[in-house]
Amino acid sequence: EDSVWNCSYNGTVDYYTCPSNHDASIICQVTAIELVECQTGNARLVGGTEEYEGRVEVCINNNWGSVCRYSWNTNENKVLCKQLGHQELGAQYFSSNTYGQGSGPILMGYLYCTGSENSLFECSRSVFSVVSGVCASHYNDVGVKCEEVCKNGTIRLESGGVETD
């Protein structure tokens, strides 16, 4: 619908079926939103030098937006990296100054993943954290560096004392 007035309802509103403590409210984001071609549920990493690192962005209703870093931990890393086709383990997360701050809407915050989900959208989350202003600043955008998927036959040297170790 284009307007709430176009929504259907059963026409019965009284104190007993709809007391005032059930009033609905919304908080709109001030940020101008540019519609793009993405599907709700998509995720991406933006601003990194490699495809497996960057600021986390998700798509909801044809809008890309950033994700607030509050409550983000290794479980969310695992789910995001798995969703994007990267290694699930070994990822790191960073504050926004690592991969730059987003400029569009902030679409998710306070995610609570167990690590078994296949998508960030399967994790429980607090919608209120975004609309209440707790995650209102792009200063809190999360960045992630996933581990690159290894290919059969690849050898990697890690943590050696000299360049040839």
Side-chain angles (χ1 to χ4, degrees):
E1 293 84 1
D2 293 338
S3 167
V4 70
W5 301 112
N6 296 334
C7 298
S8 61
Y9 71 100
N10 67 7
T12 58
V13 178
D14 61 43
Y15 178 77
Y16 298 105
T17 59
C18 191
S20 62
N21 63 343
H22 290 153
D23 290 350
S25 63
I26 62 167
I27 300 172
C28 298
Q29 292 195 20
V30 181
T31 307
I33 296 175
E34 178 183 333
L35 295 180
V36 295
E37 290 296 321
C38 65
Q39 293 183 348
T40 296
N42 289 355
R44 68 182 182 181
L45 297 171
V46 178
T49 57
E50 302 289 342
E51 67 174 13
Y52 50 87
E53 65 178 339
R55 182 180 61 255
V56 179
E57 291 190 349
V58 294
C59 178
I60 298 177
N61 296 329
N62 290 13
N63 296 292
W64 284 110
S66 59
V67 176
C68 180
R69 68 181 162 94
Y70 291 139
S71 85
W72 190 279
N73 64 38
T74 55
N75 288 337
E76 287 75 24
N77 280 353
K78 183 177 180 180
V79 173
L80 174 69
C81 294
K82 180 186 343 179
Q83 180 179 356
L84 295 176
H86 305 301
Q87 299 245 26
E88 296 177 32
L89 301 175
Q92 300 173 308
Y93 60 97
F94 306 93
S95 62
S96 63
N97 55 0
T98 304
Y99 298 110
Q101 296 180 6
S103 59
I106 301 167
L107 296 178
M108 283 186 173
Y110 283 90
L111 287 163
Y112 301 100
C113 302
T114 65
S116 63
E117 300 89 349
N118 293 309
S119 165
L120 292 177
F121 287 81
E122 295 175 12
C123 302
S124 62
R125 64 183 188 263
S126 169
V127 175
F128 183 72
S129 67
V130 175
V131 298
S132 68
V134 174
C135 291
S137 168
H138 283 291
Y139 178 77
N140 297 314
D141 292 349
V142 68
V144 169
K145 181 176 182 180
C146 299
E147 283 290 321
E148 185 177 15
V149 175
C150 60
K151 296 169 181 57
N152 286 337
T154 302
I155 298 173
R156 178 173 79 176
L157 300 175
E158 186 78 25
S159 301
V162 291
E163 211 172 284
T164 57
D165 289 347

